């Protein structure tokens, strides 16, 4: 089963999480359906690269757990919402 395609939008939040085009994903600019189609076709046509990226994706997902996400959200909220305790 396909869990993560490895094809994502090139947006800051993904880059901040450590996603790097060609290293652990294929990225395309938002609003560029031609590049999105190209990236999907590339993944379908290149099984070795798809497998390599799949391993890199797995490593990324192993390091990105729910608890880490929640802690980061708490940090972001604390930066903009005053503590009312």
């Amino acid at each position: 089963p396909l869990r993560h395609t490895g094809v994502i939008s090139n947006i800051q939040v993904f880059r901040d999480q450590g996603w790097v085009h060609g290293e652990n994903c294929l990225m395309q600019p938002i609003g560029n359906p031609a590049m999105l189609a190209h990236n999907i076709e590339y993944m379908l046509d290149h099984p070795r690269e798809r497998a390599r990226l799949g391993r890199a994706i797995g490593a990324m997902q192993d390091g990105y757990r729910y608890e880490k996400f929640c802690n980061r959200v708490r940090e972001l909220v604390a930066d903009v919402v005053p503590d009312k305790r």
Side-chain angles (χ1 to χ4, degrees), residues 62-82:
D62 286 344
Y64 190 74
R65 297 285 181 219
Y66 182 73
E67 182 179 325
K68 183 177 178 182
F69 169 79
C70 289
N71 288 339
R72 182 65 182 133
V73 169
R74 285 185 194 102
E75 290 171 7
L76 293 170
V77 170
D79 286 346
V80 295
V81 178

Side-chain angles (χ1 to χ4, degrees), residues 2 4 7 13 15 23 26-27 34 43 52 63 65 75:
L2 187 60
H4 188 296
V7 177
V13 68
R15 293 189 306 272
E23 184 178 311
L26 295 179
M27 294 180 141
M43 292 291 272
R52 184 190 71 76
R65 297 285 181 219
E75 290 171 7

Side-chain angles (χ1 to χ4, degrees), residues 49-65:
E49 183 64 2
R50 185 173 63 239
R52 184 190 71 76
L53 286 173
R55 289 187 298 275
I57 290 165
M60 282 291 295
Q61 290 174 334
D62 286 344
Y64 190 74
R65 297 285 181 219

Side-chain angles (χ1 to χ4, degrees), residues 26-40:
L26 295 179
M27 294 180 141
Q28 69 282 329
I30 293 175
N32 190 334
M35 185 71 166
L36 172 61
H38 169 79
N39 284 343
I40 292 170

